[in-house]
Amino acid sequence: MLFKDQILFVLQHMKKNKLRVTMTVLATMIGCSFLIVLASIGFGIQETMRNEILNQEQITQIELWGNETLSDEDKTFIEKIEHVNVVLKKESINGYIHSKFEDREGDSNGVFIDMAAQKKLPTNLSEGRLPEAENEIIVGYHYAQSLFNETDNAEIERKSKAAQEQGSYYDGSEEGYKGEILNKTVELQFVDDATEEYSEPKPYTIVGILKKPSYDWYIDSSIMFSDTLKNAYPSITTSSTTLIYVDSLEHVLPVLDILKENNYQVYSQVEQLEELDLFFLIFKLGLVFIGTIAILIASIGIFNTMTMAVTERTREIGVLKAIGASPNLIQRLFLMESTFIGILGTILAIGVSYFISFLANAILPHIVSYALSDESIMEHDITFSIIPFSLIIIAGSISILVAIFSGWRPARKATKIQVINALRQEL
Amino acid sequence: MIKVDSLKHTFTIGKKGKENRVEVLKGINFNIESKEIVAIVGKSGSGKSTLLQILAGFLKADSGSIIINNTEIAHFSEKESAAFRMNHFGFVFQNFQLLPGQTVFENIELPLKLKGIRQPVRKKKVQEILKKVGLMEVEDHYPNELSGGQQQRVAIARAMITNPPIILADEPTGSLDSQTEQDILLLIQQLNKNEGITFVIITHDEEVASIANRKLRMSDGFLVGGTKYAF
């Protein structure tokens, strides 16, 4: 029998039992969409968390831990490792910096930075340039906003009280200096945390402003000094960190390995990503397993439909065999029918799953934000469901294979029908 | 054309553990020549239907030999039997055995489809045969819309669409009235004469058997009368 005729033959029979076939296709569709949507949640959450990590810090950055300051010898060794671009020393000042500008004052964290190394990195400034002299500084994106005068303080106090009464919190973002701060001179004092001793006030020129932090909630009012200034303040204590920048993402792990082999305590977000990927691989496998159970339940429907089809068509099978149809052909015709049911159900399921996924991503953030009374959730880029092509292939294959397998036994039963018994059946 | 030798068959019937063995064919020998009409007659339970089923390959004989066109078919597998049936036999049954969901055209076309013949060729062949059996007017009708005689004509048309050398007919007029019976018997005679098809007819009706060139009479699993061999 020509393949085209086999298809037409099967379609003709499916058409005759429209209702039963439609219900079975629907059951398959529900099972398969359940699998796709369930697994898509795993993909969605994983993607959201990955993005979260990738946004946190530069992903090609390796952090070197340890209490001792990095020696020049160590620095040279690390710089010689292949694919290491920059070794950047940062020294966070223990204590804080008191700023005065016009009638405004504010407190910030301070950091000494190796500006020569920083220059080799892609710019981290939103405007201006890096300091070239000791009396030049760069400030955080929100530095100007955190300089308050007395009017601002009174206003903040008033708004905080009002917010407190309503059970919320006011962060003072509406006050602060609104003018242009770049190229302005501010008076700074280093304040020792423990003794509350203020250093001699000195003027510094703001030559650069850092980029806005990737998190909306993070207020960056820090001040960055050139590390050459540190010699002028020998009494200031610092906590140092060293950041190693690798040229590209795929070289982070090999560089990490070399550093670990040489007994450096290092950490990179990439390691966290790897652990995250492993965790989500297991998580997604679990979801696929649960979803497959739904498909298996749908397969019972296919099995029933096909068994009914074989029973109903016993006489027809007998006639076909009598006029020369081989057992293989009979089996193939029934297997094709269950495969068609599987394919139809899967195609519909793919469409339905994309629709549900779209709805979930559009509506769920609103629902979660409403349920938790937290509007900031809407500001985060949360994806609840993602359907990658690989998921379609995996779920589609599972669904179609299960459909074929469900039709296999009824198809075998059809081949075993005896012509004489079949022809004896009443019309 | 057909040579049957020492053919035996036993049925096992009854509940498991209390089975009875019934010997239905007890050593049958006969031959049939090309273009003959042979009637196998006998009472109910004489074994004539079993003989036809074994000839057709629906049942396997316990022992003996069946040679058709120089091919031993008694020990064929199910798959070999199906392929042999497709090329050598046409079937006509008492209750027509047409597929109710398919039109007259589609029913007749079915064996050609199974043989893998393309649609334009099928269409031409079916229309030729519809003309021969006088069913041009009803080609798009469904079997339940036809009379008994018309349905049996469709069944005969389906049996001969692949030009088989032999048509096996099991009580071909058993469900028909006497006038229609005459029409069908006439059609069989015409097809035998004009197309050269060999007919093996199983019947208990002497009138049907009367159109045959030879009668083989069966009783209690034996061939007891008639001319067993064509000369």
Side-chain angles (χ1 to χ4, degrees), chain B residues 187-226:
Chain B
L187 179 66
I188 289 174
Q189 282 174 304
Q190 281 171 356
L191 292 173
N192 170 255
K193 196 176 160 194
N194 302 336
E195 312 289 330
I197 301 171
T198 307
F199 278 86
V200 180
I201 303 171
I202 303 290
T203 183
H204 63 276
D205 185 340
E206 290 297 336
E207 202 174 335
V208 175
S210 68
I211 67 159
N213 308 116
R214 275 194 300 140
K215 286 184 210 170
L216 301 175
R217 191 168 301 279
M218 282 198 72
S219 177
D220 197 26
F222 291 106
L223 274 180
V224 292

Side-chain angles (χ1 to χ4, degrees), chain A residues 1-2 5 9 12 16 315-316 319-329 415 418-420 423-424, chain B residues 53 58-59 78-79 82 85-86 91 93 97-102 106 110-111 113-114 116-117 122 158:
Chain A
M1 201 172 190
L2 298 174
D5 287 327
F9 192 84
Q12 199 178 22
K16 261 188 249 167
R315 206 172 63 85
E316 185 179 328
V319 173
L320 284 173
K321 281 181 132 184
I323 60 178
S326 69
N328 284 351
L329 176 67
T415 63
Q418 295 289 323
V419 180
I420 316 158
L423 297 183
R424 272 190 206 135
Chain B
Q53 285 158 7
F58 301 159
L59 268 183
E78 202 182 344
K79 197 176 165 186
R85 274 200 296 275
M86 186 186 276
F91 290 94
F93 301 99
Q97 301 292 3
L98 301 175
L99 302 187
Q102 310 231 333
E106 288 165 342
L110 199 55
K113 270 190 185 171
L114 290 180
I117 291 166
R122 292 202 303 256
R158 185 181 66 188

Side-chain angles (χ1 to χ4, degrees), chain A residues 157-342:
Chain A
E157 201 174 326
R158 190 186 65 76
K159 287 182 180 171
S160 292
K161 251 185 195 170
Q164 223 166 7
E165 278 165 19
Q166 287 177 355
S168 64
Y169 161 79
Y170 177 65
D171 63 357
S173 58
E174 288 170 18
E175 282 68 38
Y177 183 67
K178 301 291 178 204
E180 179 62 65
I181 196 84
L182 189 68
N183 298 325
K184 298 277 164 58
T185 302
V186 290
E187 206 168 78
L188 302 181
Q189 287 174 285
F190 292 87
V191 184
D192 190 302
D193 239 354
T195 60
E196 285 287 325
E197 270 180 36
Y198 282 61
S199 69
E200 191 78 11
K202 277 190 178 172
Y204 291 87
T205 308
I206 299 170
V207 293
I209 297 172
L210 291 172
K211 281 181 182 166
K212 193 178 177 185
S214 45
Y215 295 115
D216 288 340
W217 47 264
Y218 184 66
I219 306 290
D220 182 12
S221 61
S222 60
I223 302 172
M224 292 181 181
F225 302 91
S226 171
D227 61 349
T228 52
L229 183 70
K230 204 188 155 192
N231 300 330
Y233 294 95
S235 61
I236 292 177
T237 57
T238 57
S239 315
S240 97
T241 46
T242 304
L243 299 174
I244 300 159
Y245 290 89
V246 179
D247 56 5
S248 66
L249 184 61
E250 71 263 29
H251 296 130
V252 174
L253 284 175
V255 171
L256 264 177
D257 287 341
I258 295 172
L259 290 168
K260 280 178 183 169
E261 278 168 20
N262 288 281
N263 299 321
Y264 289 101
Q265 282 183 292
V266 281
Y267 168 76
S268 162
Q269 296 292 333
V270 176
E271 285 179 304
Q272 202 181 333
L273 268 184
E274 279 215 322
E275 282 167 22
L276 185 85
D277 285 348
L278 179 68
F279 169 77
F280 272 98
L281 178 69
I282 297 165
F283 182 59
K284 285 184 288 188
L285 281 177
L287 292 176
V288 168
F289 177 74
I290 296 169
T292 305
I293 292 173
I295 290 186
L296 287 175
I297 294 169
S299 78
I300 297 171
I302 299 177
F303 179 84
N304 271 338
T305 299
M306 295 314 298
T307 307
M308 287 282 280
V310 170
T311 310
E312 271 177 9
R313 284 186 229 154
T314 299
R315 206 172 63 85
E316 185 179 328
I317 294 164
V319 173
L320 284 173
K321 281 181 132 184
I323 60 178
S326 69
N328 284 351
L329 176 67
I330 304 280
Q331 181 173 337
R332 204 179 317 136
L333 291 174
F334 281 94
L335 277 181
M336 279 169 84
E337 192 166 331
S338 63
T339 309
F340 278 0
I341 290 174

Side-chain angles (χ1 to χ4, degrees), chain B residues 19-161:
Chain B
E19 297 101 334
N20 276 331
R21 288 173 65 79
V22 181
E23 214 177 349
V24 194
L25 301 179
K26 298 172 179 170
I28 304 282
N29 305 294
F30 67 89
N31 75 359
I32 295 171
E33 281 306 311
S34 178
K35 298 177 189 175
E36 269 194 301
I37 299 179
V38 173
I40 300 174
V41 294
K43 289 179 188 166
S44 271
S46 60
K48 57 186 190 303
S49 285
T50 307
L51 176 60
L52 180 115
Q53 285 158 7
I54 291 175
L55 281 179
F58 301 159
L59 268 183
K60 266 196 176 192
D62 293 344
S63 63
S65 143
I66 305 167
I67 296 170
I68 296 176
N69 284 345
N70 302 318
T71 309
E72 171 63 78
I73 67 159
H75 309 293
F76 268 177
S77 69
E78 202 182 344
K79 197 176 165 186
E80 287 168 329
S81 276
F84 191 83
R85 274 200 296 275
M86 186 186 276
N87 294 314
H88 292 81
F89 292 135
F91 290 94
V92 179
F93 301 99
Q94 180 179 352
N95 46 7
F96 325 127
Q97 301 292 3
L98 301 175
L99 302 187
Q102 310 231 333
T103 63
V104 166
F105 188 98
E106 288 165 342
N107 264 290
I108 298 173
E109 189 189 29
L110 199 55
L112 295 177
K113 270 190 185 171
L114 290 180
K115 281 192 99 169
I117 291 166
R118 297 191 171 276
Q119 212 272 335
V121 183
R122 292 202 303 256
K123 194 176 174 186
K124 201 176 150 214
K125 282 196 141 201
V126 173
Q127 274 166 347
E128 274 171 21
I129 230 124
L130 279 168
K131 213 182 274 178
K132 275 184 196 162
V133 296
L135 290 170
M136 289 292 282
E137 310 294 314
V138 295
E139 64 171 288
D140 293 325
H141 289 214
Y142 286 94
N144 61 358
E145 296 165 350
L146 305 178
S147 69
Q150 283 175 315
Q151 287 190 56
Q152 198 57 301
R153 277 169 186 272
V154 176
I156 291 171
R158 185 181 66 188
M160 54 184 280
I161 188 79

